[in-house]
Amino acid sequence: MIVSKDPNEVRNQILSWKSEKLSVGFAPTMGFLHEGHSNLFIRSASENSKTVVSIFVNPAQFNDPEDYAKYPINTDGDLEICKSSKVDLVFLPDKDTMYPGGIPEVELRIPHLMKNLDASTRPGHFEGVLLVLSRLFHIIPADRSYFGKKDYQQYLVVKDFVKALGFPMEIIGVDTVRSREGLALSSRNARLTGPEKEEALLLIRALRLGETLIRQGEKDPAEVLTVMKDVLDSSSKIQTDYLEVLDANTLEELHIVKGEILLAVAAFLGQVRLIDNITVKVS
């Protein structure tokens, strides 16, 4: 496994592979890797000749400096996970490498997909995501790039971004990996206490109850939201950031439940912000 901090070395290696007609998959990450990440890497390895992973905690996508400062880092452990997941190259840039001269004052937006969910509660977040990805996609001209659907809005935004700007790359969404109890795996889970992890299970319980109501024929989004909200409100430790029932393809609000539905939640447990979602198809 190649490990490099040099963007030119990384790009030249990838271009060399592609000159040999080898396909390249890419998974951008912020490190502190877990099974959800390794699932992306293994999926890429199964569909491509070579797999590349980047590990970079991107300051441009944090609207809370304290959240950025507390983001967990474990580079040695990350490299072990990459190696065991059949990754061929790991790009480990630092802040000066990614943003020489500082974070540029450039604003990248996909307006129709960036008006609710995390876009509304974390201003500047997706602009920062698109900024770092625009740089990474030039350094790592992969054939396919893999994103977890736990960050569902990000997956849609990036997919539309790549299409709009003509990057010759396919964006692949990979289903959320969960603990045995149902908690969506996240690097932020490491900051939860044992009791907080138990409380966090209320997120998926609320979503699954919403799914059950929809499958039983409930057509009013407000009723689905009310029932899900009751689940979250049963805990004094959970502070809901948002709770939404949206069209899963456009992220538009629904007047009636039909088609492919996204049930999404973000909530705080103490200082830790968690997100989760599920999709439901109904006729």
Side-chain angles (χ1 to χ4, degrees):
M1 185 176 74
I2 301 168
V3 179
S4 177
K5 297 181 178 181
D6 184 342
N8 292 320
E9 180 183 10
V10 169
R11 180 173 170 81
N12 288 337
Q13 178 61 70
I14 292 166
L15 292 177
S16 174
W17 284 333
K18 296 186 80 170
S19 72
E20 299 172 21
K21 308 299 182 184
L22 300 176
S23 61
V24 178
F26 173 43
T29 82
M30 293 205 300
F32 210 75
L33 305 179
H34 50 68
E35 186 180 347
H37 293 106
S38 61
N39 194 46
L40 300 179
F41 310 158
I42 293 169
R43 170 77 177 270
S44 174
S46 73
E47 297 177 350
N48 301 280
S49 307
K50 300 291 182 179
T51 292
V52 180
V53 169
S54 66
I55 298 174
F56 175 62
V57 183
N58 175 34
Q61 70 189 68
F62 286 82
N63 60 327
D64 181 354
E66 186 175 345
D67 193 24
Y68 172 63
K70 289 182 177 179
Y71 198 86
I73 295 173
N74 181 12
T75 303
D76 291 342
D78 290 347
L79 292 177
E80 285 299 317
I81 289 175
C82 288
K83 188 173 183 179
S84 66
S85 302
K86 302 181 181 179
V87 172
D88 299 283
L89 189 158
V90 179
F91 180 39
L92 280 173
D94 58 22
K95 184 178 176 181
D96 291 335
T97 299
M98 291 304 298
Y99 300 120
I103 298 173
E105 294 184 4
V106 176
E107 187 172 301
L108 301 170
R109 291 183 53 78
I110 307 293
H112 67 284
L113 294 174
M114 291 167 56
K115 58 187 177 184
N116 50 27
L117 300 174
D118 281 58
S120 61
T121 62
R122 300 182 69 190
H125 170 68
F126 286 118
E127 289 86 345
V129 169
L130 295 181
L131 177 63
V132 75
L133 288 178
S134 66
R135 298 186 67 84
L136 286 170
F137 288 164
H138 284 296
I139 297 167
I140 302 169
D143 298 287
R144 302 176 184 89
S145 192
Y146 294 81
F147 291 83
K149 288 186 178 179
K150 180 176 72 69
D151 297 281
Y152 190 87
Q153 186 176 24
Q154 174 179 271
Y155 159 64
L156 289 188
V157 167
V158 173
K159 190 173 184 179
D160 205 79
F161 174 72
V162 164
K163 180 180 178 181
L165 270 65
F167 284 101
M169 176 187 296
E170 182 181 3
I171 301 300
I172 309 292
V174 181
D175 290 342
T176 301
V177 177
R178 301 183 180 277
S179 70
R180 182 170 52 188
E181 296 78 17
L183 182 63
L185 298 190
S186 169
S187 300
R188 297 173 188 270
N189 291 356
R191 293 167 54 192
L192 297 173
T193 65
E196 285 174 337
K197 287 181 180 178
E198 288 294 321
E199 294 288 322
L201 292 173
L202 288 176
L203 272 66
I204 185 59
R205 289 175 190 166
L207 295 174
R208 285 176 174 163
L209 183 54
E211 177 186 20
T212 297
L213 285 176
I214 290 172
R215 294 196 184 281
Q216 289 175 345
E218 180 59 63
K219 296 295 184 182
D220 186 351
E223 288 296 323
V224 178
L225 281 170
T226 296
V227 172
M228 292 195 298
K229 184 176 183 299
D230 286 344
V231 175
L232 299 176
D233 288 347
S234 69
S235 169
S236 61
K237 297 179 181 179
I238 292 178
Q239 179 183 348
T240 303
D241 191 16
Y242 63 70
L243 185 62
E244 300 278 6
V245 178
L246 303 172
D247 184 290
N249 298 303
T250 66
L251 302 185
E252 295 285 348
E253 292 185 3
L254 296 169
H255 300 293
I256 185 171
V257 173
K258 64 178 180 178
E260 188 171 8
I261 314 303
L262 175 72
L263 306 179
V265 61
F268 287 93
L269 268 169
Q271 298 298 312
V272 183
R273 184 178 184 274
L274 303 175
I275 63 172
D276 201 354
N277 69 78
I278 58 176
T279 56
V280 188
K281 287 186 178 181
V282 294
S283 57

